[in-house]
Amino acid sequence: MNRQQLAEQIRKKQSYLCVGLDTDITKIPAHLLSEPNPVLTFNRAIMEATADLCVAYKPNTAFYESLGSEGWQTLEQTLAAVPQDILTIADAKRGDIGNTSAMYARAFFEQMNVDAVTVAPYMGADSVKPFLGFRDKWAIVLALTSNAGSADFQTLNLEKEQTRLYETVIQKCMLWASADELMFVVGATQAAQIAHIRSLAPDYFFLVPGVGAQGGDLEEVSRLGFNQSVGLLVNASRSILYASSGKDFAEKARAEAKRLQQQMQDCLEKYL
Amino acid sequence: MNRQQLAEQIRKKQSYLCVGLDTDITKIPAHLLSEPNPVLTFNRAIMEATADLCVAYKPNTAFYESLGSEGWQTLEQTLAAVPQDILTIADAKRGDIGNTSAMYARAFFEQMNVDAVTVAPYMGADSVKPFLGFRDKWAIVLALTSNAGSADFQTLNLEKEQTRLYETVIQKCMLWASADELMFVVGATQAAQIAHIRSLAPDYFFLVPGVGAQGGDLEEVSRLGFNQSVGLLVNASRSILYASSGKDFAEKARAEAKRLQQQMQDCLEKYL
């Protein structure tokens, strides 16, 4: 999916919601555990309940890997069940030396056919560039993340560059790729920084986790983070997936997704 | 496997060789492609040919993920075939917010039962700590990597800390975990830095990739990197795996592993 198509979906659905499929088998409703594949059944039900309210699904590879090769198969089956007009993001945070990153790109873009994959920047240019140059595919590089640990390295000041580390990550990555194939992860818990980051990277989409269970403020993030073509994908995972642990889990997940979509529609009217 | 057991294996085999199982189906000998599982057949042959010469096997997850869920199964089968007295390292370079890193730790340490997993530090403490506290298991954190991109961020100078980024990574990680459960990745292509890094972290094992195809110098690395209990695992992948593309691939792989082991034995005599 390219940038124009993504912007069209956002306009049409009045939503920039990404639903994180961090599906934890120990947290899904007990009545699903008798199904042949509880996680897949759960994911399909969540997607049926939310597909008209969101523009992206983001399975987190850790949750599938924790179930071994069967989990990996469930990840493939989950991705295959995503409707064509919804962006798929493998939240994998990969990154390695060139020939290995090229292998990861092949795994996610070719073997699994996702639209986007999250990439960790620590290993630099040759770890990021192999994820570029795939038609209508995206690398989403970690810039400033939503967790407490983001203060350990990402916000340290660099002497010569006179920036914080994450700012140099953004600046270097922008030299490597345009806004047509690169996005940045910017945590919603860092709302104070988001206007600044928008000024650094005016045209790029930001994938914003941290709304919901992690406590980020959707309205603040939207007000400070929008660019002219929205430029945000805001992710919620746990608050949607585990809105109920009963038989009404899909209905309650839809209600939470609907609440977020309506808040997004309001923000689009107010701030765009 | 704990630190003492690893040191014993090194002494016994006079080797600190780690064989990287970065098995690329497009590079293995053509005659194997008619096998039901060419990658597994190849890996088993490589392990039979080298098990007495090395102390660790390090499959790189990218190469298995590029083959989808069947590849992931091959990874599991490969790990299951590693002899008990050899350390297994999942070269996965994972790292995410706390609850997700915990899921990765479960995937590798419990589901897959590897001894060690490589971890990317960009997301800080709560992305690293979930890999700690597993009995006789190891987190191996990226410090200074072997690739050109290591100069993009890892070696930038930090203003307040008056160190380069990778030095602060090492210093902070040492606050989080002892040398009994933490190692560092230090690229062999960075031999000039290795004495300095040893002075920062005297007791910790370093996993050293970059000897072989990437051009690092084993003797230099050993001379500068040894501590009193060796403290090095030196990895070679491509130079062993693809020593021959013919039917003699395992024999040639053994010859290359043997050459490295003998060089290691010499280094142990000369420098320890």
Side-chain angles (χ1 to χ4, degrees):
Chain A
M1 183 180 293
N2 65 31
R3 191 150 63 120
Q4 196 188 333
Q5 290 164 333
L6 179 58
E8 267 170 34
Q9 289 298 317
I10 292 173
R11 215 173 11 248
K12 191 175 115 189
K13 291 178 168 172
Q14 291 290 293
S15 169
Y16 40 99
L17 178 63
C18 172
V19 176
L21 297 171
D22 303 10
T23 309
D24 182 343
I25 196 162
T26 68
K27 288 188 185 160
I28 67 177
H31 73 278
L32 295 179
L33 297 178
S34 57
E35 294 283 330
N37 187 336
V39 171
L40 184 61
T41 304
F42 178 83
N43 286 351
R44 283 184 174 147
I46 292 289
M47 290 196 280
E48 274 173 37
T50 58
D52 60 321
L53 302 170
C54 70
V55 294
Y57 286 114
K58 180 175 72 65
N60 182 319
T61 53
F63 290 77
Y64 300 88
E65 293 177 16
S66 76
L67 302 173
S69 57
E70 284 175 36
W72 197 261
Q73 199 171 11
T74 300
L75 174 58
E76 293 172 335
Q77 292 167 321
T78 297
L79 287 163
V82 176
Q84 273 296 329
D85 58 0
I86 297 185
L87 189 85
T88 50
I89 302 170
D91 196 358
K93 302 197 171 68
R94 300 300 199 258
D96 206 311
I97 65 171
N99 79 319
T100 300
S101 274
M103 231 9 130
Y104 279 127
R106 207 152 103 185
F108 289 105
F109 292 150
E110 292 177 358
Q111 173 73 26
M112 220 173 256
N113 198 25
V114 298
D115 295 304
V117 60
T118 56
V119 174
Y122 189 74
M123 292 181 68
D126 58 351
S127 74
V128 173
K129 288 182 178 174
F131 293 98
L132 304 172
F134 290 81
R135 187 182 164 83
D136 297 344
K137 304 283 189 188
W138 301 82
I140 309 180
V141 173
L142 302 181
L144 185 61
T145 59
S146 58
N147 60 324
S150 65
D152 284 312
F153 306 117
Q154 297 165 25
T155 57
L156 299 182
N157 290 307
L158 300 176
E159 192 170 57
K160 194 175 149 206
E161 291 73 13
Q162 289 290 303
T163 72
R164 284 164 288 182
L165 172 62
Y166 81 85
E167 295 166 316
T168 286
V169 166
I170 290 170
Q171 286 163 345
K172 289 209 177 176
C173 287
M174 286 170 62
L175 299 176
W176 304 335
S178 80
D180 286 330
E181 56 176 346
L182 178 69
M183 305 187 189
F184 293 105
V185 172
V186 180
T189 50
Q190 315 272 5
Q193 302 299 332
I194 209 164
H196 168 64
I197 300 174
R198 177 52 74 204
S199 74
L200 290 178
D203 297 333
Y204 290 75
F205 261 92
F206 299 162
L207 172 63
V208 185
V211 162
Q214 292 183 69
D217 181 328
L218 175 58
E219 182 156 352
E220 274 296 276
V221 163
S222 304
R223 186 173 67 83
L224 300 169
F226 278 157
N227 65 12
Q228 286 181 326
S229 51
V230 186
L232 295 180
L233 293 173
V234 173
N235 184 77
S237 301
R238 287 170 273 182
S239 64
I240 292 175
L241 301 187
Y242 313 124
S244 159
S245 58
K247 293 203 169 168
D248 62 348
F249 76 96
E251 194 183 317
K252 288 289 162 65
R254 178 174 176 79
E256 174 60 11
K258 182 76 191 162
R259 190 185 70 76
L260 289 166
Q261 180 273 321
Q262 281 177 333
Q263 216 184 325
M264 288 178 179
Q265 186 163 2
D266 292 346
C267 288
L268 288 170
E269 282 165 19
K270 264 165 89 173
Y271 302 118
L272 199 68
Chain B
M1 183 181 293
N2 66 31
R3 190 147 65 117
Q4 196 188 333
Q5 290 165 334
L6 178 58
E8 268 170 35
Q9 289 298 317
I10 291 173
R11 214 169 17 247
K12 191 175 115 190
K13 291 178 167 172
Q14 290 289 293
S15 169
Y16 39 99
L17 177 63
C18 172
V19 176
L21 297 170
D22 303 9
T23 308
D24 183 343
I25 195 163
T26 68
K27 287 189 186 161
I28 66 177
H31 74 277
L32 295 178
L33 297 177
S34 56
E35 295 282 331
N37 188 335
V39 170
L40 184 60
T41 304
F42 178 84
N43 286 351
R44 283 184 175 147
I46 292 288
M47 290 196 281
E48 273 172 38
T50 58
D52 60 322
L53 301 170
C54 70
V55 294
Y57 286 115
K58 180 175 73 66
N60 182 319
T61 53
F63 290 76
Y64 301 88
E65 292 177 15
S66 75
L67 303 174
S69 56
E70 283 174 35
W72 197 261
Q73 199 170 11
T74 301
L75 174 59
E76 293 171 334
Q77 291 168 320
T78 297
L79 286 163
V82 176
Q84 273 295 328
D85 58 0
I86 297 187
L87 189 85
T88 50
I89 302 170
D91 195 358
K93 304 198 170 68
R94 301 300 199 258
D96 206 313
I97 64 172
N99 80 318
T100 300
S101 274
M103 227 17 122
Y104 280 126
R106 207 153 103 186
F108 289 106
F109 292 149
E110 292 177 358
Q111 174 72 27
M112 218 173 260
N113 198 26
V114 297
D115 295 305
V117 61
T118 55
V119 174
Y122 189 73
M123 293 182 67
D126 57 351
S127 73
V128 174
K129 288 182 179 174
F131 292 98
L132 304 172
F134 290 81
R135 187 183 164 85
D136 297 345
K137 304 283 188 188
W138 300 83
I140 309 181
V141 173
L142 302 181
L144 185 61
T145 58
S146 59
N147 60 323
S150 65
D152 284 312
F153 307 117
Q154 297 165 24
T155 57
L156 298 183
N157 290 308
L158 299 176
E159 191 168 58
K160 196 174 148 207
E161 291 73 13
Q162 288 289 302
T163 72
R164 284 165 288 185
L165 173 61
Y166 81 85
E167 295 166 317
T168 287
V169 166
I170 291 170
Q171 286 164 344
K172 288 209 177 176
C173 287
M174 287 171 63
L175 299 176
W176 304 334
S178 81
D180 286 329
E181 55 177 347
L182 178 69
M183 303 186 191
F184 293 105
V185 172
V186 180
T189 51
Q190 315 272 4
Q193 302 299 332
I194 209 164
H196 169 63
I197 300 174
R198 176 53 76 204
S199 74
L200 290 178
D203 296 334
Y204 289 74
F205 261 93
F206 299 163
L207 172 62
V208 184
V211 162
Q214 293 183 67
D217 181 328
L218 174 57
E219 182 154 352
E220 273 295 276
V221 162
S222 303
R223 185 173 67 83
L224 300 168
F226 278 157
N227 65 13
Q228 286 181 325
S229 51
V230 186
L232 295 180
L233 293 172
V234 172
N235 184 76
S237 300
R238 287 170 272 179
S239 63
I240 292 175
L241 300 187
Y242 312 125
S244 159
S245 58
K247 292 204 168 168
D248 61 349
F249 75 97
E251 196 183 314
K252 289 289 163 63
R254 179 174 176 78
E256 173 60 12
K258 182 76 191 163
R259 191 185 69 76
L260 289 167
Q261 180 272 323
Q262 280 176 335
Q263 216 183 326
M264 289 178 178
Q265 187 164 1
D266 292 346
C267 288
L268 289 169
E269 282 165 18
K270 264 165 89 175
Y271 301 119
L272 197 70

